[in-house]
């Protein structure tokens, strides 16, 4: 993440593409009289966040891959919601998805890194009331994915230098060799199940938010290191998560006090996506000041609740989640080569994005 807070010139056009990817499907839902279904379009529009740099071909590939992950997550979540799955089934499903999703996104080298958006999409759609059949919810998401991919094709691409994606291997305590990607995926699984279990045991609403928050710190962990995943970066991202969430909750409280109608709230969601993506790569905490009210308003549309309860749940779940994420990055490690060998073999390190 760059020390510069303000957006770069390319950030403006990229944020516009992401916002348009939601604007058109969102307005279509409003016109058709279904603003409460915008949650499914929002998750589809996250496709546009991928493939930020590189050639047009690489952007198409990465956005198509990310769109498939997001659509799968929404499909599973909608199915769980439609069948009124028990909370522990949700936690187990999200944990499994986190592990597999981490392996997949690392293997595909997707950026933003990690399975956060997929975890978030699955948990959120599983915990809101099923207002439409799962297939209809999936169709809204998939349609938005396709539209976002088409929008991405309108942007010119630029060539990138080769990125070293070499993965070291080490021996776990039992003597079995594990790839670094498997260890990193295990971090996600441990963080998510710990956060979800804590949320349920404490009786906090929207335990899915805790599971999603647990994935956030791990996005900046070094996926190639079995020995040291970069605890400093993990803690730094966690602080941004908490600070940005607090700022976003203040904005959310103000919005909810206006008692806007469902159409106006849907428009607010569409508007907030632009500044969210505009600052995401530059300052994660600042971006969360916009992303948090987007999520809260989207959730309020899909499942209305008492504002104070909603805001409190978001704060508590965020604290639970980041604590679980930090703990997983500390606990889940594996014996590796010496530090000198690791630096020599790993090659150039890639800067975390998103």
């Amino acid at each position: 993440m760059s020390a510069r807070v303000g957006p770069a010139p390319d950030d403006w056009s990229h944020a516009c593409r992401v916002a348009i990817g939601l604007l058109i499907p969102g307005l279509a839902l409003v016109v058709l009289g279904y603003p409460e279904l915008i949650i499914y379009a929002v998750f589809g529009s996250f496709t546009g966040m991928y493939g930020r740099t590189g050639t047009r071909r690489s952007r198409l590939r990465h956005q198509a891959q990310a769109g498939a992950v997001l659509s799968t997550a929404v499909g599973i979540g909608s199915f769980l919601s439609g069948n009124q799955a028990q909370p522990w089934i949700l936690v187990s499903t999200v944990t499994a998805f986190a592990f597999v999703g981490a392996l997949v996104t690392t293997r595909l080298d997707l950026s933003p890194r990690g399975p956060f958006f997929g975890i978030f999409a699955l948990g959120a759609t599983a915990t809101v009331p099923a207002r439409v059949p799962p297939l209809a919810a999936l169709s809204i998401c998939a349609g938005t994915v396709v539209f976002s991919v088409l929008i991405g094709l309108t942007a010119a691409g630029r060539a990138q230098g080769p990125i070293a994606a070499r993965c070291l291997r080490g021996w776990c305590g039992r003597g079995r060799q594990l790839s670094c990607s498997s260890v990193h995926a295990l971090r996600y699984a441990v963080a998510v199940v710990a956060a979800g279990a804590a949320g349920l045991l404490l009786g906090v609403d929207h335990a899915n938010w805790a599971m999603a928050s647990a994935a956030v710190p791990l996005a900046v962990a070094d996926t190639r290191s079995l020995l040291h995943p970069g605890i400093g970066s993990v803690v730094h991202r966690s602080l941004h998560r908490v600070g940005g969430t607090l700022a976003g909750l203040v904005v959310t409280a103000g919005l909810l006090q206006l008692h806007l109608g469902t159409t106006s709230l849907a428009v607010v969601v569409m508007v907030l996506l632009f500044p969210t993506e505009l600052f995401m790569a530059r300052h994660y905490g600042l971006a969360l000041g916009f992303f948090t009210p987007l999520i809260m308003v989207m959730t309020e549309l899909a499942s209305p609740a008492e504002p104070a309860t909603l805001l409190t749940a978001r704060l508590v779940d965020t604290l639970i989640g980041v604590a679980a994420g930090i703990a997983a990055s500390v606990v889940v490690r594996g014996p590796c080569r010496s530090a000198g060998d690791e630096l020599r073999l790993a090659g150039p390190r890639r800067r975390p994005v998103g």
Side-chain angles (χ1 to χ4, degrees), residues 47 50-66 108-111 149 152-153 155-161 163 350:
T47 300
Y50 292 83
R52 185 187 192 95
T53 59
T55 64
R56 185 178 278 111
R57 176 176 293 183
S58 68
R59 182 185 303 117
L60 172 62
R61 182 176 69 254
H62 286 162
Q63 289 188 345
Q65 292 166 340
L108 297 177
D109 197 27
L110 294 182
S111 179
V149 170
L153 290 176
R158 61 174 183 269
Q160 275 186 312
I163 296 175
R350 182 179 180 181

Side-chain angles (χ1 to χ4, degrees), residues 71-321:
S71 296
T72 300
V74 169
I76 296 173
S78 300
F79 176 81
L80 293 178
S81 175
N83 288 276
Q84 300 180 334
Q86 295 298 312
W88 282 105
I89 294 179
L90 171 61
V91 171
S92 300
T93 303
V94 176
T95 300
F97 185 91
F99 182 82
V100 175
L103 290 175
V104 170
T105 54
T106 299
R107 176 66 180 84
L108 297 177
D109 197 27
L110 294 182
S111 179
R113 285 183 174 182
F116 165 74
F117 287 116
I119 292 170
F120 186 23
L122 197 165
T125 54
T127 53
V128 299
R131 297 178 179 273
V132 293
L135 184 58
L138 176 59
S139 298
I140 294 171
C141 176
T144 308
V145 166
V146 172
F147 183 69
S148 296
V149 170
L150 294 176
I151 293 293
L153 290 176
T154 64
R158 61 174 183 269
Q160 275 186 312
I163 296 175
R166 187 175 302 164
C167 178
L168 300 179
R169 292 181 177 271
W171 294 87
C172 68
R174 296 182 181 179
R176 294 181 302 173
Q177 196 173 40
L178 297 174
S179 70
C180 54
S181 58
S182 296
V183 171
H184 191 54
L186 183 59
R187 290 185 192 121
Y188 273 103
V190 169
V192 167
V193 73
L200 293 182
L201 291 174
L202 293 174
V204 181
D205 290 336
H206 295 281
N208 59 292
W209 287 341
M211 292 187 285
S213 293
V216 170
L218 299 178
V220 295
D222 186 354
T223 59
R224 294 170 302 178
S225 174
L226 286 168
L227 182 64
H228 190 283
I231 304 302
S233 297
V234 170
V235 173
H236 185 259
R237 174 55 66 94
S238 299
L239 293 175
H240 273 247
R241 178 71 177 186
V242 174
T245 298
L246 285 171
L249 290 177
V250 173
V251 176
T252 304
L255 287 171
L256 295 180
Q257 285 299 315
L258 297 176
H259 302 290
L260 301 174
T262 55
T263 297
S264 298
L265 289 176
V267 172
V268 168
V269 170
M270 290 180 261
V271 170
L272 286 172
L273 185 58
F274 176 77
T276 293
E277 187 59 18
L278 183 64
F279 293 103
M280 186 64 75
R282 292 289 173 175
H283 195 286
Y284 184 69
L286 179 58
L288 276 179
F290 300 101
F291 188 60
T292 298
L294 183 159
I295 297 308
M296 302 295 285
V297 172
M298 176 184 77
T299 303
E300 175 67 13
L301 274 169
S303 180
E306 178 65 30
T309 302
L310 199 66
L311 296 172
T312 301
R314 179 66 175 184
L315 177 58
V316 174
D317 283 329
T318 296
L319 295 174
I320 292 173

